[in-house]
Amino acid sequence: MATLKEELIQVLLESKQISKDQLQEALLLQEKTKLPLKKILLEKKLINEDQLLSLLSQKLYIPILHINKYKLSAEIISLIPEELARRYNIIPISRMGNNITVAISDPLDIFVLDDLRILTGYNIDIVLSPQEEIEKALDTYYKKDLSKGEIFLDEEVSLESVETSELLKTETIELSEAIKESQRPPIVQLVDLMLTSALKKRASDIHIEPVKENLRVRYRIDGVLYDMFNIPKSKQNAVLARLKIISGLDITESRLPQDGRFKVKLEGKEIDFRVSALPISFGQKFVLRILDKSNLSLGLENLGFSPQPLKLFNEAIAKPFGMILVTGPTGSGKSTTLYSILNKLNTPQVNIITIEDPVEYEIKGITQIQGKPEIGLTFASGLRALLRQSPDIIMIGEIRDSETADTAVKAALTGQLILSTLHTNDAASSITRLIDMGVEPFLVASSLIMVCAQRLCRLICTHCKEEQNIPQDTLNSLGFKDKIVFYKGKGCSYCNGSGYFGRTAILEVLMINDRIREMIIQKKSCDEIKEYAIKELGMLTLRDDAFLKVKQGMITLEEAIRVTTEE
């Protein structure tokens, strides 16, 4: 039985619209370039698309439809996610029962139809349409607007560029239907496409949430969640099984939370994914945290710190022992700051040990301990053990309890440089938090070198930056007396219409001097300590640092107020 390619060759020769020599030349070029024969014939102008579609229609008994003459239903368009439609260059035009009719320009690619059938759960019928008309319809009916819950890949994604490693050995598991289906190429491609798309969009997290109707996928970009696309409910188990397999999770466990991780390589860069699975009403919700190690090699100087906080940071980390705390809510960049410090201090002359839960970034030359409270390896017990390993610098993921706080403070007094995080609103509050945890005030006063509160602000997109008019009354109430030019992002394709691209840190750095040590021992309130630091030491508060970046045209006034609302 002749293949579709052989049938096409036969049809072309019989039609006499192309010579045997021309066809032979096209076939040799196809063998060399591995491009589709149809594409080569059209690029070389050996035949035009209308002629080719007419020949294919006659031979394959597929009707031709000029979709530019029809208005397509939004309900029908929503049956196939945009990334699939653009990837396969097809567009859905109608549905009858469990059958979807799609317009396609290359009916010879039979794998497209198989993939669509598996990914959508519908039977697929096809009509032929010119490629240009399909591309125009894709741009018309799929809007490139993240706020409307849609996604558009600005450049073609090569799935071959994504290499997933650390795979679980699936042969040791009893294969259910979900596991079998998760190994099929369309599911593998869908998951790879989801990961690659997130990396291209600069996402920090991928949220995969089962809801009643489908499997919802959202990306967190510059700290804000955007709806991306929905996966049919029938494919939910296969997609989640695929994620479990690559993350090294227990494929059979769906009632308890699980944590895992895996790595991908994209364009020569290795990126870690940290995976959390949580049982919810309609299945299991997965959150994938994207950890790009290239961000850590930037160094403190390139994290966007203002000159004064950066100078104080460099003074603090030059000390041989003591404690440095970075505070702030989840997602405020504390880990990136601490890892950047470790990278700067990481030399063969020092022994650096970290205890984390979980280990976010793996850094060469540093000993990293993964905390496991379920077997008794807590921050406190791990810290006591690693103190016997002759460390010079210790990083503790978070000070969560009185035992960890007490051990960390005493370690800072016995010759180690301790780096850690706390969840407090500002720098001065960290001092009272340690005392509230049961650490004696004189120990806190003796051990602390510096406390830093940190937040992340979205940067204005440089491609659509424009001046912004703000009422004078608003400026007066916020203390802006000088004439300042304010900016905002208008929204463009580069920033996906958001007006923001990237983030920068704002800091409140409190250096501990002798007067502040006296105030700690006297149990002065955090407000009194903060007031002294502002008046006598010239400390910039979070809002001061944010307003400084507003004046420099880096962030919007709205963003500065949003991030520092607690002040």
Side-chain angles (χ1 to χ4, degrees):
M1 183 177 175
T3 64
L4 288 174
K5 179 180 169 183
E6 288 168 348
E7 287 187 1
L8 175 61
I9 292 168
Q10 190 63 34
V11 168
L12 287 169
L13 290 173
E14 287 173 1
S15 69
K16 297 184 180 176
Q17 293 183 20
I18 181 171
S19 71
K20 195 170 183 178
D21 290 342
Q22 288 174 321
L23 185 58
Q24 192 61 38
E25 182 188 340
L27 288 169
L28 287 171
L29 189 58
Q30 189 212 13
E31 197 173 333
K32 189 184 297 182
T33 62
K34 305 299 181 188
L35 291 171
L37 180 58
K38 173 179 176 283
K39 188 171 184 179
I40 290 170
L41 292 171
L42 295 176
E43 283 183 354
K44 290 288 182 185
K45 297 186 177 171
L46 299 175
I47 191 170
N48 66 45
E49 188 166 24
D50 286 340
Q51 292 171 324
L52 186 56
L53 285 180
S54 178
L55 290 172
L56 289 171
S57 176
Q58 291 171 29
K59 184 67 181 176
L60 302 175
Y61 304 103
I62 301 172
I64 295 175
L65 184 72
H66 288 280
I67 55 176
N68 58 358
K69 297 177 181 176
Y70 297 87
K71 185 174 181 181
L72 304 182
S73 157
E75 184 185 347
I76 300 300
I77 292 294
S78 67
L79 294 173
I80 295 181
E82 181 180 358
E83 60 280 323
L84 292 181
R86 288 189 182 275
R87 178 172 175 74
Y88 295 133
N89 200 45
I90 56 99
I91 193 158
I93 57 173
S94 70
R95 186 187 77 170
M96 286 188 67
N98 202 39
N99 286 48
I100 297 180
T101 300
V102 302
I104 190 168
S105 63
D106 186 3
L108 300 179
D109 192 350
I110 56 173
F111 295 110
V112 169
L113 307 183
D114 289 339
D115 289 0
L116 284 173
R117 194 175 295 114
I118 291 167
L119 291 171
T120 64
Y122 289 95
N123 296 321
I124 306 295
D125 297 324
I126 61 172
V127 295
L128 297 179
S129 290
Q131 185 169 332
E132 187 178 332
E133 290 184 19
I134 292 175
E135 288 173 353
K136 188 176 178 182
L138 287 171
D139 288 337
T140 301
Y141 293 102
Y142 291 107
K143 306 297 182 190
K144 307 173 206 174
D145 184 356
L146 285 178
S147 65
K148 293 182 180 176
E150 291 161 326
I151 180 172
F152 174 67
L153 296 181
D154 295 314
E155 54 191 290
E156 190 176 342
V157 175
S158 171
L159 291 174
E160 288 71 31
S161 67
V162 182
E163 181 183 317
T164 309
S165 60
E166 297 185 4
L167 296 181
L168 187 67
K169 292 184 178 177
T170 56
E171 62 268 17
T172 62
I173 297 168
E174 181 184 354
L175 293 177
S176 66
E177 285 303 312
I179 300 172
K180 287 179 184 175
E181 191 172 354
S182 74
Q183 304 303 314
R184 291 176 185 160
I187 296 297
V188 174
Q189 287 180 6
L190 181 59
V191 172
D192 285 352
L193 187 64
M194 188 193 303
L195 302 179
T196 314
S197 166
L199 295 173
K200 297 284 183 186
K201 294 287 180 188
R202 304 177 296 106
S204 59
D205 300 87
I206 305 172
H207 289 243
I208 302 152
E209 304 162 297
V211 293
K212 189 174 182 180
E213 301 82 14
N214 48 45
L215 188 64
R216 178 190 186 197
V217 178
R218 296 190 290 170
Y219 294 165
R220 189 180 293 281
I221 302 170
D222 293 333
V224 178
L225 277 171
Y226 294 94
D227 275 330
M228 284 294 159
F229 53 91
N230 296 318
I231 296 170
K233 194 73 175 174
S234 59
K235 302 302 159 196
Q236 174 177 308
N237 289 342
V239 169
L240 298 185
R242 175 67 184 163
L243 288 169
K244 283 186 176 183
I245 287 167
I246 63 176
S247 308
L249 303 182
D250 183 351
I251 199 87
T252 62
E253 181 56 74
S254 59
R255 297 167 302 168
L256 296 173
Q258 293 189 78
D259 294 304
R261 64 192 306 142
F262 63 92
K263 297 177 183 177
V264 301
K265 287 179 184 173
L266 178 65
E267 297 168 357
K269 191 163 68 171
E270 193 174 85
I271 296 152
D272 288 336
F273 283 77
R274 198 179 78 211
V275 182
S276 170
L278 182 70
I280 61 170
S281 302
F282 299 104
Q284 284 182 289
K285 174 174 176 174
F286 278 69
V287 176
L288 281 61
R289 169 66 60 90
I290 300 171
L291 305 167
D292 187 351
K293 281 189 278 192
S294 63
N295 293 336
L296 305 183
S297 58
L298 293 172
L300 286 173
E301 290 76 11
N302 297 309
L303 289 178
F305 293 176
S306 298
Q308 189 216 45
L310 178 61
K311 177 175 174 289
L312 296 174
F313 247 105
N314 284 324
E315 284 177 17
I317 64 177
K319 306 275 185 186
F321 61 88
M323 181 185 284
I324 296 171
L325 293 177
V326 181
T327 79
T330 302
S332 58
K334 301 186 299 293
S335 295
T336 300
T337 298
L338 287 182
Y339 276 110
S340 296
I341 293 171
L342 290 181
N343 253 350
K344 186 166 185 173
L345 300 175
N346 187 14
T347 63
Q349 289 78 37
V350 294
N351 178 21
I352 302 176
I353 305 179
T354 75
I355 178 161
E356 307 162 65
D357 183 19
V359 172
E360 293 199 9
Y361 297 93
E362 295 169 1
I363 303 178
K364 191 176 180 182
I366 291 177
T367 304
Q368 294 173 275
I369 302 169
Q370 169 73 56
K372 292 182 180 175
E374 64 273 14
I375 60 168
L377 182 54
T378 61
F379 282 151
S381 62
L383 183 54
R384 285 196 301 271
L386 68 83
L387 284 170
R388 294 190 283 273
Q389 295 280 318
S390 180
D392 299 298
I393 300 165
I394 299 168
M395 198 262 277
I396 307 163
E398 185 187 341
I399 295 178
R400 297 174 181 167
D401 53 64
S402 56
E403 194 180 358
T404 307
D406 187 59
T407 310
V409 165
K410 287 172 181 172
L413 291 171
T414 56
Q416 280 84 31
L417 182 64
I418 307 291
L419 308 173
S420 191
T421 68
L422 268 179
H423 285 283
T424 58
N425 286 334
D426 60 10
S429 300
S430 301
I431 296 168
T432 51
R433 175 65 61 85
L434 286 174
I435 294 170
D436 290 343
M437 282 181 172
V439 182
E440 291 292 339
F442 73 90
L443 291 176
V444 175
S446 305
S447 60
L448 272 184
I449 301 171
M450 182 196 86
V451 185
C452 162
Q454 179 170 315
R455 300 290 186 278
L456 292 177
C457 284
R458 293 179 291 173
L459 290 165
I460 299 169
C461 173
T462 54
H463 287 70
C464 59
K465 187 175 179 179
E466 63 177 16
E467 288 188 21
Q468 181 184 24
N469 291 320
I470 295 174
Q472 191 59 46
D473 291 347
T474 304
L475 297 178
N476 291 340
S477 67
L478 292 168
F480 285 95
K481 299 200 173 19
D482 302 330
K483 188 168 177 60
I484 300 163
V485 180
F486 295 92
Y487 295 94
K488 67 173 183 176
K490 185 179 179 181
C492 62
S493 59
Y494 185 73
C495 61
N496 293 308
S498 68
Y500 299 99
F501 192 93
R503 288 189 289 177
T504 189
I506 58 168
L507 302 175
E508 178 179 296
V509 179
L510 174 63
M511 288 295 284
I512 310 298
N513 65 5
D514 290 339
R515 176 64 191 130
I516 292 177
R517 289 192 179 94
E518 286 176 19
M519 294 175 80
I520 294 170
I521 292 168
Q522 292 165 6
K523 296 188 179 179
K524 297 287 186 184
S525 70
C526 57
D527 290 335
E528 289 177 280
I529 294 172
K530 185 173 183 176
E531 188 180 349
Y532 166 80
I534 293 168
K535 285 183 179 176
E536 304 300 327
L537 303 180
M539 181 182 82
L540 291 177
T541 65
L542 286 168
R543 179 156 284 190
D544 291 338
D545 196 20
F547 283 176
L548 189 62
K549 285 182 161 61
V550 170
K551 291 172 184 176
Q552 292 168 347
M554 296 170 65
I555 66 176
T556 64
L557 183 58
E558 292 90 341
E559 182 71 2
I561 294 168
R562 179 185 75 85
V563 173
T564 61
T565 48
E566 65 267 17
E567 292 204 15

